[in-house]
Every structure is written in C-alpha cells, then in structure tokens.
Amino acid sequence: MKLFFDDRQLLHTPLRELHNGDWVPYAENVERPRSIARQFADWQPVRDFGMAPLLAVHDADYLSFLERAHGAWVAAGRSGDAIGYTFPIRHRRPLDFGRIDAELGAYSYDAGTPVAAGTWQSAYWSAQGALTALDHLAASGDAHGFALCRPPGHHAGRDYMGGYCYLNNAAIAARAAGAQGLGPVAILDVDYHHGNGTQDIFYEDPGIFFASIHADPRTDYPFYWGHADETGAGEAMGSTLNLPLPRGTDGAAYVPALDRALDAISAWGARFLIVSFGADTHSSDPISSFALEREDYGVMAARIAALGVPTLIVMEGGYAVGDLGLNVAAFLAGFSG
Ligand SMILES: [Zn+2]
C-alpha cells in the first residue's frame, strides 16, 4: 500500500486549547503524524491539485478566511493563535464583518480549533495528500492507499471549522472520486467521534453514502450530530447511517456495528470507499472512552477489505501518541491480509 504525507503538514502548531474549563496543551500536535511517519520507511510525495477540488466542497469565502485569518489576527495587534470567543447559533445572515473575532466565530462552532500561523499551509497540504492518494489509486489500480492527513478533516463542514479540523479531506476526496467517475462513492467513518462535517456536506447529496460508527453523541463530542435518527434529507433520505455506541465499547461489541455499516455500503452499491480512520477508539486514548486494542484494528481492516472495492484511507483522530503509530500500522497491515 502506498502512503502519502508532506512535511508542510507539520507547520500547523497551535499551542493550547480550552478543555474542561482550562487551557491545556493542544492534543492535535505534530507528535501525532511523526509517530505514524516513523512506522514506515517509504512515503510518497504529495502533489498539488490546486484550489478547484477544495472549492468543490468548501465555500470560497470560508477558504479565503482560513488563508488570511492568522494574518488578520496579527494585524489586530494579537499574538498567539487566532481563536473565537463568540459563536452565532442557527442560521446566519450574510454579514460584512469588520473584525477578525466576528469571522472566527462565524466560521467555527467550537473553541478547539485555533488558527495558527501555519494552519492554512498544513490544512492545504493535508487535503492535497488525500487527492494525491486518490489519484494514485485511480491511475495504478492498487486496491488500497493511505493519506496521513493532518490536520484531520471530518468535523469541518462546507463553511466551518471545528474539532481540530479545517478542510474536510475525506469529503474533498469523495467529491473528486465522484467527478472522476469512480463512484458510487461511500464514506465509512470509524473515528471515535461522529464525522459531523462530512455528514453535513453530503446530507442532501444522494450521490455519496455516509456511514459513521462513533461514541453516542448524548455523552460525547460533537453532541449535536450523529444520533441514530439522522438518516439524510430530501432525495438523500437513507444515504446517511449513524451507529452510535456506548462508552466502554470493546472490539467484540464494535464488530457487529462495523458489519452493519459494511452491509449497508455494499447494498448501496459502492464501487469506491473512503475510510475516515481515527485511532482514538483505542483503550489508551486520553480524550476518548472506547476500549479497542491494537489487534482489533487488523480485524476491522480485514472486514473492510473484504468488501472488495478500491479504498482510500484518510487519517482522522487518535491522541495516544505513544500507541498511535503502532495502531495505524496494525490497521494498514490488516488490508494486506
Ligand atoms: Zn476523533
């Protein structure tokens, strides 16, 4: 399996985040991709597919905001990471904001997603990594490919950031795969947290099937999305499948949900699969509460591979830096049988 990563994805270095009422070191830090990168000797270069595939998913004004937000923060006389402190609820009128703080709130839904000096560059190359891996799969006929996306993407929506995510790498790759005629495309999200951004982007799009297995949002972030009764809207009714699981779920309890998601993807007729893989389902993860062990990732991968459709794996979360690289390696090894 070919692996894709670009060193510019390390330029995103926020210092801290607001968590449980206190400022804590930023969990989505550069030690994460480094712990994965060091498991493998051979990384492929990431190519630049430009802005068009990003604009196929995200609003132009949101992308423009991301690109200039930290500069505007500095121009406003601030230091450190740009972070919002007031967030509009529900539908927003299009307003012409005159202050960076208003924009930071308008384009995000939480305080865990600061914009640092290198954020745009890292997010841009993270998305290009997913596109490069997709291009490789389409051209080579390989069955599986891995993009070490970082920052991750599945909480980012069409015009908002959140949950450490700025550009939705899985959604960008899914749109591009559909446009290249590789579909029908399905996305399987196996991060601990619900992929609310991905769901939101495709909620009314009958062309992409989205299945997510995640911690019950009644107890876990992102709380407001990922409930079992969210199944799509309009013509896309039935093309979203949410399988929330209780805290403490272990490998044995996880497999039936995975099989249900894979059966649905198969029944939907997917011919190309994108897996949003988070290793924050591991028992050692510091911000999550499932109990999967390393060997469970090989089991998961083998079941996904048994679908027999070309599969692009994009990295999402996973914060136990001491285990992360080994867990990702165990997952990827499971695709080779
Ligand atoms: Zn997560």
Side-chain angles (χ1 to χ4, degrees):
M1 188 189 307
K2 291 280 194 283
L3 317 169
F4 298 84
F5 181 68
D6 188 286
D7 281 344
R8 282 167 285 194
Q9 295 173 240
L10 301 174
L11 296 172
H12 169 64
T13 54
L15 287 179
R16 56 186 190 165
E17 62 183 292
L18 190 60
H19 184 71
N20 290 346
D22 215 344
W23 287 106
V24 299
Y26 200 61
E28 204 287 282
N29 58 55
V30 294
E31 294 313 312
R32 300 184 57 251
R34 283 184 178 140
S35 78
I36 299 167
R38 92 172 60 93
Q39 295 298 320
F40 304 94
D42 203 11
W43 290 91
Q44 306 300 312
V46 168
R47 288 166 39 216
D48 190 355
F49 292 84
M51 292 292 286
L54 279 54
L55 284 161
V57 165
H58 294 287
D59 281 3
D61 59 351
Y62 171 63
L63 295 179
S64 164
F65 155 77
L66 273 184
E67 193 166 4
R68 63 186 163 71
H70 194 265
W73 181 258
V74 171
R78 316 284 176 69
S79 59
D81 304 327
I83 187 161
Y85 69 93
T86 180
F87 304 93
I89 47 174
R90 301 183 199 282
H91 306 292
R92 304 176 301 242
R93 284 189 295 140
L95 297 168
D96 184 16
F97 298 119
R99 206 171 119 184
I100 181 61
D101 305 273
E103 289 192 286
L104 283 164
Y107 291 118
S108 59
Y109 67 88
D110 69 14
T113 317
V115 181
T119 298
W120 169 252
Q121 280 243 75
S122 287
Y124 181 87
W125 288 104
S126 185
Q128 298 298 338
L131 290 164
T132 306
L134 170 67
D135 188 68
H136 167 76
L137 285 180
S140 69
D142 278 9
H144 312 111
F146 175 63
L148 202 186
C149 292
R150 186 276 166 178
H154 72 151
H155 296 303
R158 190 171 51 82
D159 62 351
Y160 57 84
M161 55 189 185
Y164 309 145
C165 301
Y166 305 85
L167 299 178
N168 195 311
N169 310 302
I172 289 166
R175 272 272 153 77
Q180 290 170 35
L182 299 175
V185 178
I187 301 171
L188 172 64
D189 191 317
V190 293
D191 187 274
Y192 176 80
H193 304 95
H194 178 247
N196 60 299
T198 315
Q199 169 173 300
D200 198 10
I201 288 163
F202 298 118
Y203 206 60
E204 297 182 35
D205 182 345
I208 307 262
F209 189 84
F210 176 70
S212 181
I213 306 164
H214 50 267
D216 192 331
R218 288 180 299 175
T219 58
D220 281 78
Y221 184 95
F223 305 119
Y224 315 112
W225 305 276
H227 301 265
D229 61 355
E230 297 163 22
T231 58
E235 284 179 39
M237 193 71 80
S239 70
T240 292
L241 174 64
N242 281 304
L243 299 170
L245 297 172
R247 287 184 166 206
T249 292
D250 62 9
Y254 193 94
V255 163
L258 177 63
D259 286 347
R260 211 180 134 196
L262 293 171
D263 285 348
I265 287 166
S266 185
W268 192 72
R271 293 183 60 201
F272 193 89
L273 179 66
I274 294 172
V275 176
S276 274
F277 177 65
D280 44 7
T281 50
H282 191 255
S283 61
S284 67
D285 197 86
I287 67 168
S288 308
S289 305
F290 278 179
L292 270 64
E293 300 302 339
R294 188 160 303 142
E295 56 271 22
D296 294 321
Y297 294 117
V299 173
M300 282 171 67
R303 290 176 118 83
I304 296 168
L307 272 184
V309 298
T311 300
L312 166 61
I313 301 136
V314 301
M315 195 67 210
E316 301 288 358
Y319 306 95
V321 169
D323 288 300
L324 180 60
L326 292 165
N327 289 337
V328 172
F331 183 68
L332 298 184
F335 282 89
S336 322

